Each structure stands twice: as C-alpha cells, then as structure tokens.
Amino acid sequence: MKVQDQLYGFTVMRSRRVEELDATLWELKHDKTGANLVWLDNAEENKLFAIAFKTLPSDDTGVFHILEHSVLCGSEKYPVKEPFLDLIKGSMNTFLNAFTSSDWTAYPVSSKNRKDFLNLTEVYLDAVFCPMIYRNPLIFRQEGWRYSLHEGEESPTYNGVVFNEMKGSFSSVDTQVMNHLNRMLFPDSPYGFVSGGDPEKIPDLTYEHFLDMHREFYHPTNSRIYLDGQIPLEETLSLIDSYLSRYEKSDKQHEIIPQKPVESLTREYPYAIGAEEDPKQRTQIAIGKILCDWSDRKKQTAVSILASYLMGSNDAPLKKAILERGLAQDVSFDVMDGIAQPYTILQFQNTEKEALEPLKATIKATVSELLEKGIDKDELSAVIDHLAFSMKSAEEPRGIYRIMRIVNSWIYDGDPLMYLTSDDLIAELREALKGNYFELLMEECFLDDAHKAELVMIPSRTKTAEDSAKEAERLKNETAEWSEEDRKATIEMNERLDAWQQTPDSEELKATLPKLELSDIDDEISWTETEVTKEKDVTKLIHSLQTDGIANAGLYFSICDIPMEDIPKLSLALSFLGDLPTASHSVRELQKEMKRSVGKRSITILPIRDPEGADKCRLYIAVTFSALEERFYDAVKLIREILLETRFDDDELIKALLKQEVEGMYQSIIGRGNSFAMTRAGRYFSASGAISELANGFSEYRYISNLSNQYETESRKFITFAENMKSLFTERRLLLSETGSITHDLLSAFDLPKGDDTEIKKTLQIALEPAGVPEAILIPAPVSYAAACSSLNQFGKRYNGRFNILSSILSYGYLWSEIRVRGGAYGCGFFASEGGSLGFYSYRDPSPLRSVEVYRNTAQFLKEYVESDEPVDSYIISSVGQYEKLRTPRQKGIDADLAWMIGKSKEDVVQIRKEMLNLKKEDLLEDCELFGDAFDRYAICVVCGEEQLSNQEGWKVERL
Ligand SMILES: [Zn+2]
C-alpha cells in the first residue's frame, strides 16, 4: 500500500514510519463520505477496531450516553435484544465496550483471532449505523428512562439503566464537584453539560430528540475510525466501506466554539453526607481555570509534572504548607485533559468554608516564596523520568490505550500522531527545565486570579432526603395531570417492556449473529515458564520474558506466624511505606529518588489459600516493583530502604496520612461497595477470605477510622507495631522472583538481615467464624451493592474448569437479565474462583434485597437452561477467551509466581481448558446443588443507603 492508492472506497492520504512505536501510521479518507480512518500497522497480534463520533451535548439529559447504551441493543442485521451481550458471551474478544466522553462517543473492540475480529467489527458497524432504536422505542425506555408502573401500584417511579447508573455516579462528591465546576467554567460550551446525564434532567429527554441526535451525530462524515495491530486490511476496509457508502457526505459542522474565559466567580452548593455524620471539616473546595488549547500537549503535561512536584506527597511544598496550617485534610492539583480546552483544578478536601481565603493566601505565599528561592529542577527532572517510564509501560490491551490517546488531537482535526508518541514530548520537557518555562507556568496557575471559578461544597445531612422528596414531588406533579388513559398507557408500556425483556430471542434471530465455532479456537495455551533456582538459601523464581528493557522483581516474605489481630495494623503500616521519611531521606528526597528510579511498585498482604483446608492459608507480604534496566539497582536500594529504614516517629505526618487513608476508604466504600460487601461476606469461608477482610475490607476501615478518631490514646500501639514490622523483612522469610530477559543477583543487592533461627511456619490456621444473620453497611448515598458468598467446599466440591462456564452463564445470562435489565442495576455477576470461593454481587443496584432473592432462585434458572435448546458453545468460547487474557510481562510474572505458590502447573491449565472445552450441558445440572435451598449456606452482605433497607429486623447493621 502506498500514498494515493485507492482501495475499497478509501484513498491513502499519508503514511509515516514511527520508530518509537516500531510501526507505520497510515491515514486514509473515505472518498464518498469524507470519513477519516487511521491504521497503526504494528506487529501486534491483538487486532483492534474502533469507531468514534464527535458528540457534543447541548443539555444535561445524557442523550449521547443513552445512545451509547441503546445502539448496542440490536441492529438491522442482528436484530437480537443484546448483541453486545451475545458478543461478550460468545466471542474471544480481548476488549469490548463503549465510552461516552464530554465530546465523543467511541466503540472499540479487539481480538487476537482474525475471524473473531471481523465478526466483532461487523456487529459494531451495524450497531452504530443501523440500530433498532428507530423501530423499537422500548430500547429507549429500558436504557434511558421510563415511568415504572405496574398494575396494582399506586404511583410510578423513574427507572432506566442510564438513569440508575448516573444516580450512582452522582453519589460521589467528586462527580458533583466536576459537574458544578464544568458548568461554571463553560457556560456557553458543550463542556458545561453533564455528558453522562444528570438524573434530574434525564427524564426531560424525549424519544424523538433521542432519535434526532442519532441521525445527526452518528454519520460517517462525523466519524473517526481507528485500526491497530495485524488486521486483515482488505477485508476490514471493504467491510467498513459497505456501511459508509450508504451515506452521502454531510455538511453539518460540529465545531466546538472556544469558551471565552469567564469572569472570576464563587459559588456554593450542598452535597449529601449521612444523617448522623458530623459536618465539621467536611466542606470541599475546588478552584478551576481554563489552561490552554488541546494542541498544547507540552503545557498540559508540564502542569501534571508541577502538580506532582508541588503536591505529590504530604511533604511536597504546597501540600505541606496547607497541612501544617491545618487548613484542609488534603489538597490536589490536576489538569483535566481530553477536551478542546483543558483546565486545571485545585481541590481542597475536608475543610471549612471560612478557610477559603486563608487557603488561597497560603498557596500564593508559598508559591511566591518557592519562585523566589528557586524551584527544585532536580525534582522536576525525576518526575519527568517517572512519566517517561509510565508512558512506555501501558497496561494491556495497548490498542485501547492508544485509541484513548489518539482522540485527544484527532477529534479536533489535529494530527492523529500528536498524542501517540512520547519521546519528543519528554525531550521538550527536559529542555524546558533549562529555562524558566516551569516558573512562568507556576505563576500563571497560582498567582494569576483572573478567570477562576471557585466552588464551595457544603456538607448537608438532609440533602439525601430532600433529593428523594424532590423527585417524589416531581413525579407527583407530572402524574397529577395524567388521564386514566395515560395511566393505562404507562402500565401497558411497562408490560410490553417486561414481556420483551423476558422473551428470549428466537434461535432464528440468534443465528444472525456471526459466531466462532469451537474448531476456530487454537490449541495454544498461554503459560509463563518458571525456573526455580536458589540464591544462597533463598528460593528464586525466574520468568524469562521479553520486557523491552524493563526489569521486574518480587519479594515475598512469609508471615504465617503473625497474630490475626495484627493484620489491620500491618495493612496500614505497609500502606505508609514510601510516604514516610527513612533514616537517610526526608519524604521529599525519598519520593524524588523513587520517581527517578522505581517504575511501578506495590506492597501488600497476600493470603493464598492452602489446598489442605479452608481454615488454612499461606500468608506473605508481597513486594513487587519494576524499573528500567539501567536504574534497577537504584530501585533495589530504595525498596530496601523503605522496608528497613522507614521512620514512624513523626506523629503529625502519620496523622495526616491516616486521615487521608480514612477518607479514601470512605469514598471507595460508597463508590465500590460491591467489593467491600463481597470481602465482608467472604470472610466466613476461608482463612484467606478472613484475612482479606481484615486487611482491606470494612474491618480495616473500622480500625483506621477508630485509630484516627482516638489518635492520642491509640497511636502508641500502632507505632510500636509498625517499628517492629521491619523485623519481618528477613532472608529466612524470603521468596524471590524476577521477570525479564536479564537476571540480577537480587539477594546480595538487597542484603537483608538473615533473621533468627526459629522455624517459620509454612501455613496459618485460624478458627473461622460461622456466618450468621445477613449484614448491612449503611452508607450516606442512595446506591446499593448486594453480595452473597460461600465456598465450594461448603458443598463438598472442588474447582474445575466447568465453573468458569457456569460463571459466564450466570453472569451474562441469568443475572444480566434479572438484575441488570429488569432490576435496573448497573452491574452484577457470579464467580467461582480457582481458590474455591463462590458468590454473587450487584453494583449500583436500586433493589439489593430483590437481587438476593434472584441469587437464591438460581437453581431454577439453571434447570430450565439445561432443558432449553440454547447451546452452550458460545459460553465455552468466551470462557476460554477470558481465561487467556492479555497481560503485560509484569502481570505474567506475578501470575506465574502465584501459580508456583499454589502448585499450579502447565498440566493443570491444560486440564482446566480441557474441562471447559469438553463440557456437556447436562454436567451443569450438578451445580444446581449450589443454589436454591442450599442458598442458606451463603453469607449475605449489603452495602446500601438507609432507604434501601427499610426493614432492618433480623439484620446486623453497621454504619459507615
Ligand atoms: Zn453507561
């Protein structure tokens, strides 16, 4: 292929060799419609197709978000209810999703399998250009919003997938901060609107307007198509052309008129906290300002470098100044990029309204002083090093990472290459260090008051109740005008919707979807070899992999002798490593050195289930890190230093970190309550489950929030423990691991103390608590998460490959239709892990108690499923696909370590794959025993708002 070539309706406009990506970038234009297409021709086996449309909101109804969901609910060629779901169930995709951002909507899919890739591409093309939304208005009612009303019900409620999703999203104070700030900074621009939809405004959206927006924006001329990897070019282009060429070129211009900077303004809004929470020190303040144009990538990146320098740790100059004066509990500075006019946001967490002026004065004084004394260029240089590392080591699938970058320029008709590469940018930034670029930028960001939007969010104990009352009032007003006919029509619409949702697609319709056959799956399994060696007396695992100049190491310290009551303390103490000073470095110096030398790092408690019994486990402190080869020994030195030399003697520092830790966990219980509910319910069934709960679950939250509240009396115990923790990092406890192409002499490099001669226990045994009544954790937000957990050995079973398929059938079949589609929850699933744990969860669920009943009824569904003629092949294919996830070399190494620890061999993986491929549908009947009456052997935990659990009798209730 060369420039000017014409093929399948496209003309090749430009081609560039990109050394940095070891790839060629091809730019093509569709002759008839003017659609732009880019192909990054690299050697990657994973093939990606993505189509993006520029979608500019002109209200808060979330119309583009609702469209994103809705076009995936059936199309002309594939008129099944949920092709999206059928693809998840039946393909070997390595990625399948869709995104709505503030100004674009994108549909990316990828697969390693060629046939699968073409299938997925075709279904996505048909979805975006020929969706069923025109013929079936129920799709809009299901995904967007509806009056939910059934015979016998007094008054309607609002329901809808996006409606519920956004209610959940609005429960986070950060979401509200962003929404208010966008409105203040962009009063005349699409960015002033909530592109996902404001639950208060979603019901303003009409079906007609929804369709109009699709007609206008989902047009080839308004699209950008991105291909990545070893794609079959001719077939792909001809497929794309077969859709595009149905259209004429559109002359609609979707230009974003730049927002004129606003006059400085301050606004106040309430946000919800729990009815019994103390509002003291809970005000949130944010200050926003437009920074530049999308094309100034250097400036945006420079701001994030400054942010890391000024506020990256509690000891960083600006953050330190704020914390020392006790003005706020935390402060951050970020650039909100990915839009035509990126802006900066300076955020103060947990403060008082009265602190606004002192906060601003402190910022100014500190920045002026820094500028006068001179900023630490060496530290900025370390931040740039770290940035260079992270830009080179993106997570898989990397094609997705690249489409997310490319839109940053391409959607505004800029050069698609602009955000794809990073070498030039890094060089420019290093060059900028020599002059006063960063100083001028600091002045602009912090000393210039013009065009700033100041937002003060005041905690309100009544807002949750007020919002519900307001919604009820609105519903009442709207329905007051209904005639008897209107009421009937609404009930009928709901009945039609229920019927449509409950009637499975006919086999004939299902047959329209392109599918893989079992014979399309190749036999290769992905397996990372482990070579077991010794360095002196210490066992070392080596995984030889090509890692592009990055070295990865792991240290696992066996701690099976630790008392259970110390786990929460240990978890907290480990989380402080790297954020406290050491014997030889201040926090700032330490972090500077780490940024320069350590790429990724993680230090956690790692419980591993023991095959001998559920009440036993092996327990490690897992320390993993990566670094550029040339910095590896510097990284080792630093990791050693934080393990052995961290000082726990600065109360003020510890107190501040602790408060931030409590706040972080508080927010994640509200935002990711499902994982807390699962850990909580899972603690009864295995020692590893019990430890996970103590280390990362609600128990850990309780421990750290109590410690923070009673710091003066309780901190001694913690600090003594943390100081003694260093004695755990010895050679006697150690297992080493390395992943890369070069091996290092890790043991001598680390030079850890030997440790005393006492035998280190190999396993830890604990007395498991019996599960009792269902538990609830009440949160100050109207969102819920419901979990029910158990374990295979409760039912006398052992894990085998069949459970992967069972998980897939329940998650994407039964639970999806009952809990997501009918119940309106945003997410749900069932899992049965190799470790033997078992359970259900729901995510942002409007009716958690109903979901628990759905879990209970699984046996009935399973029987019906086995008796039905729905084939199981597609579930087998997707389960095999999921079992072979794309992973970075670092992740492969860590997974191989875990496999070695539990004694999982390549033969086991082959066996599991065999069990999946050979599954007979009838085999699943055996698993009915896991549900129905046997559901009493599950523990239940619900994280929810007060209203979702009106009758708390018989429940064990705790409050956040
Ligand atoms: Zn969504």
Side-chain angles (χ1 to χ4, degrees):
M1 191 163 75
K2 57 182 191 309
V3 174
Q4 292 305 327
D5 274 3
Q6 292 191 307
L7 57 167
Y8 304 99
F10 288 88
T11 300
V12 181
M13 310 301 288
R14 190 178 184 191
S15 107
R16 276 174 282 176
R17 175 74 201 153
V18 190
E19 286 309 329
E20 188 186 333
L21 301 174
D22 194 12
T24 304
L25 187 82
W26 295 93
E27 289 174 63
L28 287 75
K29 203 174 214 34
H30 189 245
D31 301 328
K32 192 173 171 210
T33 61
N36 289 302
L37 181 146
V38 160
W39 173 33
L40 189 73
D41 179 11
N42 51 24
E44 286 189 21
E45 190 191 1
N46 191 44
K47 305 166 230 319
L48 176 121
F49 160 86
I51 183 161
F53 301 94
K54 198 173 185 180
T55 47
L56 307 178
S58 49
D59 56 41
D60 288 321
T61 60
V63 59
F64 293 118
H65 183 192
I66 300 172
L67 272 172
E68 175 221 309
H69 282 239
S70 302
V71 302
L72 297 171
C73 294
S75 60
E76 275 166 28
K77 199 165 171 193
Y78 311 113
V80 292
K81 276 188 295 198
E82 290 181 278
F84 177 72
L85 175 66
D86 291 318
L87 293 179
I88 295 181
K89 290 201 288 207
S91 78
M92 297 193 69
N93 74 78
T94 47
F95 190 86
L96 177 78
N97 212 334
F99 305 102
T100 310
S101 104
S102 340
D103 55 10
W104 51 258
T105 308
Y107 297 84
V109 279
S110 71
S111 179
K112 289 194 280 186
N113 182 298
R114 181 174 174 280
K115 183 174 166 193
D116 200 33
F117 166 77
L118 288 167
N119 288 347
L120 294 165
T121 301
E122 183 163 14
V123 176
Y124 260 35
L125 281 165
D126 206 60
V128 296
F129 290 119
C130 318
M132 286 300 274
I133 54 173
Y134 292 92
R135 287 201 234 161
N136 183 359
L138 292 174
I139 294 173
F140 172 67
R141 294 296 164 204
Q142 172 183 286
E143 299 297 325
W145 75 276
R146 64 180 175 274
Y147 294 111
S148 172
L149 183 67
H150 295 86
E151 202 67 71
E153 283 172 358
E154 181 76 21
S155 45
T157 52
Y158 293 124
N159 205 344
V161 176
V162 170
F163 178 82
N164 291 329
E165 180 190 336
M166 293 316 292
K167 257 201 168 173
S169 156
F170 268 58
S171 64
S172 137
V173 60
D174 284 339
T175 308
Q176 296 177 52
V177 166
M178 296 315 297
N179 292 342
H180 287 305
L181 213 54
N182 285 336
R183 216 165 287 151
M184 291 162 74
L185 285 171
F186 298 99
D188 319 303
S189 151
Y191 302 126
F193 298 107
V194 184
S195 63
D198 178 341
E200 263 186 49
K201 299 292 166 59
I202 291 173
D204 292 343
L205 181 62
T206 64
Y207 177 51
E208 290 69 30
H209 187 67
F210 163 79
L211 296 181
D212 286 343
M213 291 293 100
H214 181 265
R215 268 184 217 109
E216 182 177 339
F217 286 89
Y218 281 53
H219 190 286
T221 314
N222 187 40
S223 74
R224 312 278 188 283
I225 299 165
Y226 178 68
L227 305 172
D228 189 303
Q230 288 176 337
I231 55 146
L233 187 67
E234 296 183 359
E235 281 153 292
T236 310
L237 288 184
S238 106
L239 180 61
I240 296 171
D241 176 55
S242 72
Y243 280 89
L244 303 190
S245 55
R246 299 173 197 183
Y247 291 79
E248 297 303 324
K249 198 173 194 151
S250 149
D251 49 15
K252 277 253 187 319
Q253 298 285 334
H254 297 298
E255 257 182 72
I256 304 168
I257 315 278
Q259 172 70 50
K260 269 214 340 254
V262 293
E263 291 302 317
S264 292
L265 72 166
T266 306
R267 282 195 197 145
E268 239 181 76
Y269 295 95
Y271 82 96
I273 58 167
E276 282 149 37
E277 280 184 86
D278 185 357
K280 218 176 123 224
Q281 288 280 319
R282 294 289 300 278
T283 296
Q284 318 293 330
I285 294 178
I287 302 176
K289 181 179 178 169
I290 294 178
L291 178 70
C292 58
D293 177 55
W294 60 268
S295 58
D296 199 344
R297 188 181 176 202
K298 178 180 164 191
K299 193 168 181 181
Q300 297 170 60
T301 318
V303 166
S304 63
I305 291 167
L306 275 182
S308 172
Y309 162 60
L310 293 169
M311 314 213 191
S313 75
N314 287 351
D315 211 27
L318 257 189
K319 190 183 262 195
K320 192 174 178 188
I322 303 287
L323 298 184
E324 265 176 3
R325 288 167 182 73
L327 288 169
Q329 192 181 306
D330 206 350
V331 52
S332 63
F333 184 60
D334 288 301
V335 56
M336 295 294 129
D337 52 8
I339 59 175
Q341 290 174 283
Y343 62 95
T344 57
I345 169 169
L346 176 64
Q347 229 175 322
F348 303 100
Q349 269 178 4
N350 292 344
T351 173
E352 294 290 352
K353 182 180 159 186
E354 293 68 32
L356 177 59
E357 291 309 320
L359 279 167
K360 281 157 60 181
T362 306
I363 295 273
K364 277 195 179 164
T366 315
V367 167
S368 305
E369 199 191 311
L370 270 173
L371 287 171
E372 216 161 280
K373 280 197 201 149
I375 54 180
D376 185 346
K377 297 282 174 88
D378 194 41
E379 188 165 345
L380 291 183
S381 159
V383 180
I384 297 175
D385 286 345
H386 195 252
L387 192 73
F389 179 91
S390 35
M391 284 175 159
K392 292 273 174 224
S393 55
E395 293 298 319
E396 289 283 9
R398 283 178 292 184
I400 290 296
Y401 171 79
R402 288 189 285 263
I403 169 76
M404 298 309 251
R405 299 218 62 89
I406 201 173
V407 285
N408 288 330
S409 56
W410 200 25
I411 212 85
Y412 314 116
D413 302 320
D415 181 355
L417 193 57
M418 190 173 169
Y419 281 78
L420 271 186
T421 54
S422 56
D423 286 355
D424 288 351
L425 173 75
I426 296 291
E428 259 184 80
L429 289 162
R430 288 199 208 284
E431 191 58 35
L433 278 180
K434 296 179 191 156
N436 62 350
Y437 180 81
F438 283 95
E439 287 83 350
L440 290 176
L441 187 57
M442 243 167 94
E443 263 179 47
E444 179 188 330
C445 289
F446 297 104
L447 300 183
D448 177 4
D449 276 337
H451 314 301
K452 280 192 172 163
E454 294 175 351
L455 169 69
V456 181
M457 300 284 287
I458 309 281
S460 159
R461 292 197 270 197
T462 50
K463 189 169 188 294
T464 306
E466 282 160 16
D467 285 351
S468 319
K470 212 158 114 194
E471 190 181 294
E473 183 69 20
R474 174 177 174 165
L475 273 164
K476 209 173 122 198
N477 290 339
E478 283 170 352
T479 53
E481 291 166 20
W482 283 8
S483 64
E484 198 42 44
E485 251 104 88
D486 292 336
R487 204 183 148 81
K488 254 199 197 138
T490 305
I491 293 176
E492 261 170 37
M493 184 273 289
N494 278 284
E495 281 168 356
R496 265 182 291 133
L497 182 63
D498 292 344
W500 177 62
Q501 288 173 343
Q502 281 162 44
T503 317
D505 292 317
S506 67
E507 286 309 314
E508 194 187 331
L509 287 187
K510 276 193 201 158
T512 60
L513 274 172
K515 276 201 187 82
L516 288 183
E517 308 292 328
L518 286 176
S519 57
D520 293 320
I521 303 182
D522 51 36
D523 305 326
E524 258 174 66
I525 60 154
S526 68
W527 175 255
T528 308
E529 292 296 342
T530 298
E531 183 197 338
V532 185
T533 60
K534 285 247 174 199
E535 276 189 27
K536 284 191 256 164
D537 289 337
V538 175
T539 304
K540 181 175 181 185
L541 312 176
I542 297 175
H543 318 292
S544 299
L545 288 179
Q546 178 48 254
T547 51
D548 292 327
I550 294 172
N552 303 280
L555 292 88
Y556 301 93
F557 297 94
S558 175
I559 50 161
C560 292
D561 47 346
I562 192 169
M564 289 295 273
E565 64 267 23
D566 285 346
I567 301 278
K569 285 182 220 148
L570 178 63
S571 181
L572 180 67
L574 291 175
S575 77
F576 286 166
L577 298 183
D579 288 325
L580 288 175
T582 63
S584 33
H585 282 112
S586 69
V587 186
R588 244 181 100 185
E589 284 297 318
L590 177 70
Q591 297 206 332
K592 174 165 53 171
E593 294 310 318
M594 298 239 270
K595 276 172 193 154
R596 204 191 306 279
S597 303
V598 185
K600 293 201 162 96
R601 105 183 118 93
S602 150
I603 304 180
T604 55
I605 296 178
L606 174 68
I608 293 182
R609 190 162 188 163
D610 194 300
E612 308 244 308
D615 60 344
K616 288 185 183 154
C617 77
R618 281 173 236 166
L619 191 59
Y620 297 94
I621 295 173
V623 180
T624 57
F625 65 97
S626 56
L628 287 175
E629 200 54 74
E630 58 268 29
R631 300 261 194 212
F632 186 69
Y633 284 106
D634 295 332
V636 166
K637 249 165 90 184
L638 289 163
I639 297 290
R640 179 186 194 282
E641 184 177 324
I642 60 173
L643 295 180
L644 296 180
E645 295 176 18
T646 295
R647 285 168 36 207
F648 289 86
D649 55 0
D650 187 331
D651 264 336
E652 290 311 309
L653 266 180
I654 293 178
K655 241 198 269 185
L657 282 174
L658 182 58
K659 275 192 181 155
Q660 291 161 358
E661 193 81 22
V662 173
E663 177 66 18
M665 221 163 168
Y666 175 94
Q667 292 301 342
S668 52
I669 293 173
I670 296 176
R672 297 186 294 111
N674 52 320
S675 80
F676 287 87
M678 276 152 73
T679 330
R680 190 95 180 133
R683 76 186 193 278
Y684 302 108
F685 303 101
S686 67
S688 56
I691 287 169
S692 295
E693 212 279 331
L694 288 171
N696 307 309
F698 189 65
S699 295
E700 170 72 353
Y701 174 74
R702 267 279 177 268
Y703 170 72
I704 64 172
S705 60
N706 287 342
L707 182 61
S708 177
N709 291 338
Q710 299 156 34
Y711 192 83
E712 308 316 321
T713 53
E714 295 300 310
S715 60
R716 271 305 107 210
K717 269 183 262 168
F718 168 70
I719 286 167
T720 313
F721 174 85
E723 287 288 350
N724 292 335
M725 174 178 77
K726 293 168 196 167
S727 67
L728 297 173
F729 303 117
T730 63
E731 283 187 8
R732 291 191 63 81
R733 295 177 180 271
L734 186 59
L735 167 70
L736 285 168
S737 149
E738 254 198 285
T739 304
S741 40
I742 304 172
T743 53
H744 305 82
D745 190 354
L746 272 185
L747 193 71
S748 359
F750 267 100
D751 189 25
L752 296 167
K754 270 250 164 321
D756 60 31
D757 280 348
T758 42
E759 189 68 36
I760 309 287
K761 282 204 298 182
K762 291 265 183 326
T763 55
L764 167 76
Q765 184 168 19
I766 63 170
L768 291 170
E769 233 183 292
V773 295
E775 292 172 77
I777 300 167
L778 297 185
I779 54 172
V783 292
S784 309
Y785 310 87
C789 294
S790 188
S791 74
L792 287 170
N793 68 309
Q794 290 281 312
F795 303 89
K797 290 179 191 282
R798 286 185 85 90
Y799 172 83
N800 79 60
R802 185 180 80 234
F803 289 114
N804 292 356
I805 294 158
L806 177 69
S807 301
S808 190
I809 292 172
L810 296 183
S811 300
Y812 300 125
Y814 177 59
L815 299 173
W816 184 288
S817 71
E818 287 300 317
I819 293 180
R820 185 173 153 115
V821 178
R822 297 187 61 203
Y826 185 51
C828 51
F830 170 82
F831 61 92
S833 75
E834 287 183 42
S837 53
L838 189 69
F840 297 89
Y841 67 90
S842 69
Y843 177 75
R844 291 191 192 163
D845 182 352
S847 41
L849 301 186
R850 174 186 172 277
S851 297
V852 172
E853 284 316 298
V854 172
Y855 303 158
R856 183 184 294 278
N857 295 331
T858 301
Q860 186 59 30
F861 159 80
L862 205 53
K863 271 194 206 101
E864 286 166 19
Y865 172 76
V866 174
E867 282 157 23
S868 74
D869 20 280
E870 188 183 343
V872 75
D873 288 13
S874 59
Y875 286 116
I876 295 178
I877 289 165
S878 61
S879 303
V880 172
Q882 271 172 25
Y883 198 66
E884 310 261 290
K885 273 197 303 258
L886 289 176
R887 287 166 306 166
T888 58
R890 171 181 149 84
Q891 194 54 49
K892 282 183 184 166
I894 292 175
D895 288 353
D897 289 344
L898 296 179
W900 185 84
M901 288 177 202
I902 58 173
K904 183 171 150 187
S905 65
K906 187 171 179 181
E907 288 65 43
D908 294 331
V909 177
V910 172
Q911 176 62 22
I912 290 171
R913 197 180 156 102
K914 243 190 225 151
E915 287 161 356
M916 289 195 264
L917 287 169
N918 297 340
L919 174 117
K920 298 278 161 294
K921 211 173 157 194
E922 311 78 76
D923 302 345
L924 291 163
L925 279 178
E926 259 184 60
D927 299 329
C928 289
E929 297 162 15
L930 297 172
F931 316 105
D933 291 340
F935 192 70
D936 294 338
R937 275 174 258 172
Y938 284 68
I940 290 160
C941 179
V942 167
V943 173
C944 66
E946 195 101 24
E947 280 177 50
Q948 277 82 23
L949 194 77
S950 43
N951 178 9
Q952 299 168 6
E953 235 169 87
W955 285 70
K956 184 174 171 225
V957 177
E958 301 204 60
R959 262 164 228 282
L960 188 55

